[in-house]
Amino acid sequence: MKKSRIGVLTGGGDCAGLNPALKWVVKTAMDERLEWERGVRYEVMGIRDGWKGLANVDPATWDTAGHIVPLNPDAVRTWDRYGGTMLGTSRFSPYDPKNECSRLVVENIERLGLEAVIAIGGDGTLAIATRLSREGVNAIGIPKTIDKDLPETDYTLGYETALNVIVEEVDRLRTTAGSHRRIFVVETMGRTAGWLALEGGEACGAYIILIPECDFSMDKVNELVSEGRRSGTRYEIIVVAEGAKPIGGTEVVKKEGVDSFGRKALGGIGEFVAHEIEKGTKLETRSVTLSHLQRGGAPCAYDRRMGRYFGIAAVDLVVNNKYGNMVCVRNGKISYCSLEHIYGKLNLVDAATQYDADRYNGRRTILNNGKKKNARRIQPHKK
Ligand code: F6P
């Protein structure tokens, strides 16, 4: 019987849905039926802390506790109920000039006898998978990120759970906002893609939604808020993505510099908007940053299911030697695409069709975003 060893890791920011994917990679690869049908017995090695585990492991000593952990169906039986990642994660890049160890990572993959490496991650983690793939590693990607900004897939693990957090927290804020007649500005994650703010805002019925794909005017925000009050609203919920910025301004950052994936630490736009509203309208305004709450907690049903389907699909690619691909979902169908096709690309909101730039809100397709040519399409009813 042929034996084969698969490595699996989680990289980048954690989120709900990683553990279900890990569980189903292990359960599928080690399913006896696969062994009978294909004549291959798979072993699965969990790599700790993302790509860092492969840089730090010493294959000679098999430092299992620190960097590599053998997995089996029994060990992962309950993992799909839990948030975060049981393997740990990091934003470590072997291509970061500070680390400069991609050769070592490739060699360690060989020394550990890993026929394939399944990387569960967002753009940063999968960019590394793509580059290692070019160096001869048999890499497979599984998409995850609460930002939902990976191209070629309709879903990335963690997104629905994060949306549920936004809705839940805004529901809580509504009662206190209403009691005090206050405005609440809720800052969500979403660096360059505004999906979380847009679809979270749509789901919770936000009065204003601000996204990175459409720079906003503070005067217009204040005008919309005042208009609401004139029409009798008691309070407003405004959802803003961390990467949103005013026209002519720049993103607000928590601290200077970038991490190993080359990303700025964003944060603070919610507070800026709240301050400007209070200054411009004299209405009491508070801000809440949801931050890592969106990444925490148990996976919702959808993330458990998608983690399962993606995990199974990733092993399917390994079994069929279809390396250099990422599993994905398109129009409800689980499929795959080349890692090269997603490299350096992002899936952004199309502000012209998926956003109401007139009202700074979610899409209202029948209004066609106030574009003149269709504005008179529906004629008023004549008596
Ligand atoms: O990559 C997803 C993300 O949630 C971004 O929206 C956010 O800017 C970032 O992670 C923050 O991550 P961390 O605090 O872990 O660096």
Side-chain angles (χ1 to χ4, degrees), residues 13 91 145-147 189-191 242 259 263 292 295:
R91 286 222 171 83
T145 161
I146 68 165
D147 291 4
M189 282 190 175
R191 316 174 59 75
E242 62 182 351
D259 65 16
R263 299 145 51 108
H292 296 77
R295 300 220 307 239

Side-chain angles (χ1 to χ4, degrees), residues 37-356:
E37 280 175 27
R38 308 288 173 136
V40 189
R41 180 172 299 157
Y42 286 102
E43 277 180 340
V44 183
M45 296 292 157
I47 298 155
R48 289 198 187 277
D49 305 328
W51 296 112
K52 194 196 264 179
L54 284 172
N56 292 349
V57 68
D58 177 0
T61 56
W62 263 100
D63 178 6
T64 49
H67 309 296
I68 306 286
V69 49
L71 300 174
N72 62 58
D74 246 10
V76 300
R77 189 174 54 83
T78 61
W79 283 18
D80 50 348
R81 299 169 209 168
Y82 302 106
T85 161
M86 296 292 189
L87 290 180
T89 185
S90 69
R91 286 222 171 83
F92 175 94
S93 169
Y95 294 99
D96 183 340
K98 282 202 301 281
N99 307 321
E100 206 57 88
C101 58
S102 66
R103 210 50 247 154
L104 173 70
V105 167
V106 175
E107 279 163 18
N108 280 347
I109 290 171
E110 277 165 23
R111 289 194 203 116
L112 291 167
L114 300 179
E115 185 179 323
V117 177
I118 298 176
I120 312 174
D123 57 338
T125 305
L126 298 186
I128 296 165
T130 313
R131 294 178 72 176
L132 289 172
S133 203
R134 291 175 193 158
E135 296 193 45
V137 171
N138 292 332
I140 300 288
I142 294 183
K144 79 82 218 176
T145 161
I146 68 165
D147 291 4
K148 206 178 69 166
D149 57 3
L150 282 170
E152 304 285 334
T153 184
D154 295 341
Y155 194 68
T156 58
L157 296 177
Y159 180 70
E160 278 293 326
T161 305
L163 274 192
N164 287 339
V165 172
I166 296 172
V167 172
E168 219 176 284
E169 297 305 328
V170 169
D171 279 352
R172 263 172 220 283
L173 287 174
R174 280 185 186 283
T175 54
T176 173
S179 309
H180 290 264
R181 305 201 64 163
R182 281 173 178 157
I183 297 159
F184 266 88
V185 181
V186 180
E187 181 181 313
T188 68
M189 282 190 175
R191 316 174 59 75
T192 27
W195 296 112
L196 272 179
L198 176 63
E199 295 183 337
E202 285 175 341
C204 71
Y207 181 65
I208 290 176
I209 300 170
L210 302 173
I211 58 173
E213 292 86 343
C214 179
D215 291 355
F216 60 88
S217 138
M218 213 45 247
D219 286 345
K220 188 162 162 181
V221 169
N222 287 342
E223 227 175 84
L224 288 167
V225 167
S226 308
E227 186 189 303
R229 288 296 163 115
R230 282 196 301 272
S231 71
T233 54
R234 281 188 64 83
Y235 70 95
E236 282 78 22
I237 298 289
I238 298 178
V239 176
V240 53
E242 62 182 351
K245 54 185 190 317
I247 296 165
T250 50
E251 296 146 328
V252 183
V253 293
K254 277 187 289 204
K255 59 175 190 232
E256 291 308 317
V258 292
D259 65 16
S260 192
F261 283 6
R263 299 145 51 108
K264 294 181 200 165
L266 300 182
I269 185 69
E271 214 175 306
F272 167 82
V273 171
H275 179 260
E276 292 299 306
I277 291 175
E278 203 163 84
K279 201 167 84 184
T281 64
K282 308 283 174 266
L283 293 166
E284 226 189 332
T285 310
R286 297 282 191 268
S287 77
V288 170
T289 303
L290 295 181
S291 185
H292 296 77
L293 287 172
Q294 295 158 101
R295 300 220 307 239
C300 68
Y302 194 66
D303 273 316
R304 293 182 201 202
R305 285 175 51 225
M306 292 310 291
R308 176 180 180 136
Y309 303 153
F310 282 167
I312 295 169
V315 175
D316 198 15
L317 292 179
V318 174
V319 171
N320 290 297
N321 296 318
K322 288 187 174 153
Y323 299 119
N325 288 306
M326 176 187 84
V327 301
C328 61
V329 60
R330 276 292 154 89
N331 302 318
K333 277 202 162 146
I334 302 294
S335 179
Y336 64 91
C337 66
S338 166
L339 280 170
E340 290 292 349
H341 288 161
I342 62 156
Y343 186 76
K345 295 191 193 125
L346 287 175
N347 168 32
L348 304 180
V349 173
D350 176 8
T353 59
Q354 295 170 311
Y355 182 66
D356 182 348

